[in-house]
Amino acid sequence: MVKVIASSVRKGNVLEIDGQLCTVLSAESFFPGKGTPTTQIDMRRISDSVKVSHRYKTTEQVERAYVEDRDFTYLYQDGEQYVFMNPESYDQIPVDADVIGDAAPYLLENMKVTLSIFDDRAVAIELPQRVTLEVVETEPVTKGQTASSSYKPAILSNGVRSAVPPHIGVGTRVVVMTADGSYVERAKD
Protein backbone atom coordinates (compact mmCIF):
# COMPACT_ATOMS: atom_id res chain seq x y z
CA MET A 1 0.00 0.00 0.00
CA VAL A 2 1.12 3.52 -0.78
CA LYS A 3 0.11 6.60 1.19
CA VAL A 4 -1.00 9.57 -0.92
CA ILE A 5 -2.57 12.91 0.00
CA ALA A 6 -6.35 13.06 -0.44
CA SER A 7 -6.26 15.89 -3.01
CA SER A 8 -4.24 13.70 -5.44
CA VAL A 9 -6.88 10.92 -5.54
CA ARG A 10 -8.58 10.55 -8.95
CA LYS A 11 -11.57 8.66 -10.35
CA GLY A 12 -10.65 5.01 -10.93
CA ASN A 13 -8.03 4.84 -8.14
CA VAL A 14 -8.36 1.99 -5.65
CA LEU A 15 -8.05 2.90 -1.96
CA GLU A 16 -7.96 0.81 1.20
CA ILE A 17 -10.44 2.21 3.72
CA ASP A 18 -10.78 0.42 7.09
CA GLY A 19 -9.30 -2.77 5.63
CA GLN A 20 -11.71 -2.76 2.65
CA LEU A 21 -10.77 -2.04 -0.95
CA CYS A 22 -12.79 0.76 -2.57
CA THR A 23 -12.87 2.05 -6.14
CA VAL A 24 -13.05 5.85 -6.42
CA LEU A 25 -16.15 7.00 -8.33
CA SER A 26 -15.47 10.73 -7.93
CA ALA A 27 -13.09 12.98 -6.02
CA GLU A 28 -13.73 16.68 -5.62
CA SER A 29 -11.66 19.22 -3.71
CA PHE A 30 -13.27 22.24 -2.04
CA PHE A 31 -11.30 25.39 -1.19
CA PRO A 32 -13.52 27.67 0.92
CA GLY A 33 -12.47 31.28 1.48
CA LYS A 34 -12.22 30.58 5.20
CA GLY A 35 -11.56 27.27 6.87
CA THR A 36 -9.80 24.10 5.89
CA PRO A 37 -9.74 22.87 2.27
CA THR A 38 -11.36 19.43 2.00
CA THR A 39 -11.64 16.61 -0.53
CA GLN A 40 -14.91 14.69 -0.91
CA ILE A 41 -14.33 11.13 -2.19
CA ASP A 42 -17.24 8.95 -3.34
CA MET A 43 -16.29 5.26 -3.58
CA ARG A 44 -17.72 1.77 -4.10
CA ARG A 45 -16.53 -1.05 -1.86
CA ILE A 46 -15.25 -3.87 -4.05
CA SER A 47 -16.34 -6.65 -1.67
CA ASP A 48 -20.07 -5.83 -1.55
CA SER A 49 -20.56 -2.99 -4.12
CA VAL A 50 -21.88 -0.60 -1.44
CA LYS A 51 -21.28 3.10 -2.19
CA VAL A 52 -19.52 5.04 0.55
CA SER A 53 -18.49 8.66 0.87
CA HIS A 54 -15.67 10.19 2.92
CA ARG A 55 -14.46 13.74 3.43
CA TYR A 56 -10.78 14.40 4.15
CA LYS A 57 -8.61 17.44 4.69
CA THR A 58 -6.79 17.88 1.36
CA THR A 59 -3.41 17.20 3.00
CA GLU A 60 -4.63 14.11 4.91
CA GLN A 61 -3.04 10.76 3.92
CA VAL A 62 -5.07 7.90 2.43
CA GLU A 63 -3.93 4.36 1.57
CA ARG A 64 -3.81 3.66 -2.16
CA ALA A 65 -3.94 -0.06 -2.95
CA TYR A 66 -1.51 -1.52 -5.46
CA VAL A 67 -3.44 -2.61 -8.52
CA GLU A 68 -2.05 -3.58 -11.88
CA ASP A 69 -3.26 -1.49 -14.79
CA ARG A 70 -3.45 -3.53 -17.99
CA ASP A 71 -4.66 -2.68 -21.47
CA PHE A 72 -7.64 -4.61 -22.79
CA THR A 73 -9.92 -4.50 -25.83
CA TYR A 74 -13.69 -4.35 -25.31
CA LEU A 75 -15.49 -7.19 -27.14
CA TYR A 76 -19.19 -7.37 -26.20
CA GLN A 77 -21.83 -7.25 -23.46
CA ASP A 78 -23.19 -10.54 -22.15
CA GLY A 79 -26.16 -9.87 -19.86
CA GLU A 80 -24.88 -8.10 -16.73
CA GLN A 81 -21.25 -8.61 -17.73
CA TYR A 82 -18.93 -6.96 -20.22
CA VAL A 83 -16.27 -9.10 -21.90
CA PHE A 84 -12.76 -7.75 -22.52
CA MET A 85 -9.78 -9.39 -24.22
CA ASN A 86 -6.09 -9.11 -23.38
CA PRO A 87 -4.51 -8.16 -26.76
CA GLU A 88 -1.25 -10.01 -25.96
CA SER A 89 -2.50 -13.35 -24.60
CA TYR A 90 -6.03 -13.27 -26.11
CA ASP A 91 -7.42 -14.23 -22.68
CA GLN A 92 -10.96 -13.01 -22.12
CA ILE A 93 -12.07 -11.47 -18.82
CA PRO A 94 -15.70 -10.81 -17.80
CA VAL A 95 -16.32 -7.57 -15.86
CA ASP A 96 -19.47 -6.91 -13.81
CA ALA A 97 -21.74 -4.03 -14.83
CA ASP A 98 -21.29 -2.28 -11.46
CA VAL A 99 -17.52 -1.99 -12.12
CA ILE A 100 -18.23 -0.39 -15.53
CA GLY A 101 -20.79 2.03 -14.03
CA ASP A 102 -21.28 5.33 -15.89
CA ALA A 103 -18.75 4.31 -18.55
CA ALA A 104 -21.10 1.70 -20.09
CA PRO A 105 -22.71 3.92 -22.79
CA TYR A 106 -19.28 4.97 -24.09
CA LEU A 107 -17.94 1.43 -24.58
CA LEU A 108 -17.58 0.78 -28.30
CA GLU A 109 -16.64 -2.53 -29.91
CA ASN A 110 -12.83 -2.97 -30.18
CA MET A 111 -12.22 0.07 -27.93
CA LYS A 112 -8.87 0.00 -26.08
CA VAL A 113 -9.40 0.50 -22.33
CA THR A 114 -7.29 0.17 -19.18
CA LEU A 115 -8.59 -2.20 -16.51
CA SER A 116 -7.25 -2.10 -12.96
CA ILE A 117 -6.68 -5.70 -11.89
CA PHE A 118 -6.54 -6.80 -8.22
CA ASP A 119 -6.43 -10.51 -7.29
CA ASP A 120 -7.21 -11.45 -10.93
CA ARG A 121 -10.42 -9.36 -10.83
CA ALA A 122 -11.13 -6.12 -12.64
CA VAL A 123 -11.94 -3.48 -10.02
CA ALA A 124 -11.93 -0.28 -12.12
CA ILE A 125 -11.98 0.83 -15.76
CA GLU A 126 -10.41 3.78 -17.53
CA LEU A 127 -11.76 4.76 -20.96
CA PRO A 128 -10.05 6.89 -23.57
CA GLN A 129 -10.70 10.59 -22.79
CA ARG A 130 -12.63 11.16 -26.03
CA VAL A 131 -14.92 9.07 -28.20
CA THR A 132 -16.50 9.73 -31.61
CA LEU A 133 -20.28 9.26 -31.83
CA GLU A 134 -23.06 10.15 -34.27
CA VAL A 135 -25.87 12.60 -33.54
CA VAL A 136 -29.15 10.67 -33.98
CA GLU A 137 -31.63 13.31 -32.83
CA THR A 138 -31.49 17.10 -32.50
CA GLU A 139 -33.36 20.22 -33.48
CA PRO A 140 -33.05 21.26 -37.15
CA VAL A 141 -30.28 23.63 -38.19
CA THR A 142 -31.47 27.24 -37.95
CA LYS A 143 -30.20 29.64 -40.59
CA GLY A 144 -28.22 32.59 -39.31
CA GLN A 145 -27.70 31.01 -35.89
CA THR A 146 -24.32 29.45 -36.70
CA ALA A 147 -22.30 32.27 -35.17
CA SER A 148 -24.07 32.26 -31.80
CA SER A 149 -22.41 30.55 -28.88
CA SER A 150 -25.58 28.83 -27.62
CA TYR A 151 -25.87 25.04 -27.66
CA LYS A 152 -28.88 22.86 -28.43
CA PRO A 153 -29.77 19.44 -26.98
CA ALA A 154 -28.88 16.31 -28.96
CA ILE A 155 -29.12 12.56 -28.48
CA LEU A 156 -26.02 10.61 -29.53
CA SER A 157 -25.81 7.11 -31.05
CA ASN A 158 -25.06 5.66 -27.58
CA GLY A 159 -28.31 7.10 -26.17
CA VAL A 160 -26.59 9.81 -24.10
CA ARG A 161 -27.91 13.37 -24.15
CA SER A 162 -25.39 16.10 -24.91
CA ALA A 163 -25.35 19.74 -25.98
CA VAL A 164 -24.01 20.56 -29.45
CA PRO A 165 -23.52 23.81 -31.40
CA PRO A 166 -26.48 24.97 -33.53
CA HIS A 167 -24.80 24.07 -36.87
CA ILE A 168 -24.57 20.34 -35.97
CA GLY A 169 -27.34 18.28 -37.59
CA VAL A 170 -28.59 14.68 -37.46
CA GLY A 171 -26.04 12.23 -38.88
CA THR A 172 -23.03 14.39 -38.00
CA ARG A 173 -20.21 12.56 -36.19
CA VAL A 174 -18.95 14.46 -33.13
CA VAL A 175 -16.19 13.96 -30.56
CA VAL A 176 -17.34 13.98 -26.91
CA MET A 177 -15.58 13.62 -23.56
CA THR A 178 -16.21 10.22 -21.92
CA ALA A 179 -16.07 11.77 -18.43
CA ASP A 180 -19.22 13.89 -18.82
CA GLY A 181 -20.48 13.55 -22.42
CA SER A 182 -19.65 17.16 -23.27
CA TYR A 183 -19.13 18.19 -26.91
CA VAL A 184 -15.52 18.78 -28.02
CA GLU A 185 -15.56 19.14 -31.81
CA ARG A 186 -16.95 17.80 -35.07
CA ALA A 187 -15.22 14.51 -36.01
CA LYS A 188 -12.54 14.89 -38.69
CA ASP A 189 -13.22 11.54 -40.40
Side-chain angles (χ1 to χ4, degrees):
M1 300 290 165
V2 181
K3 286 202 177 270
V4 295
I5 59 169
S7 62
S8 70
V9 173
R10 299 285 171 256
K11 179 179 177 176
N13 289 163
V14 178
L15 303 178
E16 185 177 313
I17 308 293
D18 303 327
Q20 300 257 355
L21 288 180
C22 300
T23 305
V24 176
L25 301 173
S26 70
E28 192 174 357
S29 293
F30 300 98
F31 301 95
K34 274 183 163 178
T36 309
T38 59
T39 300
Q40 173 81 28
I41 302 176
D42 296 326
M43 301 168 278
R44 184 184 330 97
R45 279 200 304 253
I46 293 170
S47 58
D48 55 8
S49 297
V50 171
K51 288 186 179 176
V52 291
S53 193
H54 286 279
R55 184 170 293 213
Y56 298 96
K57 293 178 185 164
T58 52
T59 55
E60 212 171 323
Q61 303 265 321
V62 292
E63 296 252 350
R64 187 163 169 200
Y66 178 74
V67 293
E68 188 179 351
D69 289 339
R70 287 192 224 146
D71 292 332
F72 281 85
T73 304
Y74 173 64
L75 296 178
Y76 58 91
Q77 183 178 358
D78 183 20
E80 284 292 304
Q81 294 196 316
Y82 294 80
V83 180
F84 295 85
M85 179 184 70
N86 182 328
E88 291 152 20
S89 66
Y90 299 107
D91 291 339
Q92 292 186 6
I93 178 173
V95 178
D96 291 333
D98 60 341
V99 172
I100 305 296
D102 303 347
Y106 297 103
L107 278 175
L108 302 173
E109 215 170 275
N110 297 321
M111 177 185 271
K112 306 262 184 273
V113 300
T114 303
L115 291 177
S116 299
I117 308 294
F118 184 83
D119 282 344
D120 293 329
R121 278 182 50 211
V123 294
I125 185 171
E126 189 178 318
L127 296 179
Q129 281 191 318
R130 300 171 177 200
V131 66
T132 303
L133 298 164
E134 189 174 318
V135 174
V136 293
E137 189 180 311
T138 188
E139 297 166 4
V141 176
T142 311
K143 256 191 161 166
Q145 203 181 22
T146 53
S148 84
S149 62
S150 63
Y151 280 69
K152 62 182 182 179
I155 297 177
L156 306 175
S157 56
N158 64 351
V160 172
R161 291 183 169 275
S162 186
V164 297
H167 66 274
I168 300 289
V170 173
T172 306
R173 290 174 51 78
V174 295
V175 177
V176 295
M177 297 298 284
T178 54
D180 58 3
S182 61
Y183 171 85
V184 177
E185 63 188 1
R186 175 182 261 166
K188 291 175 174 55
D189 52 7

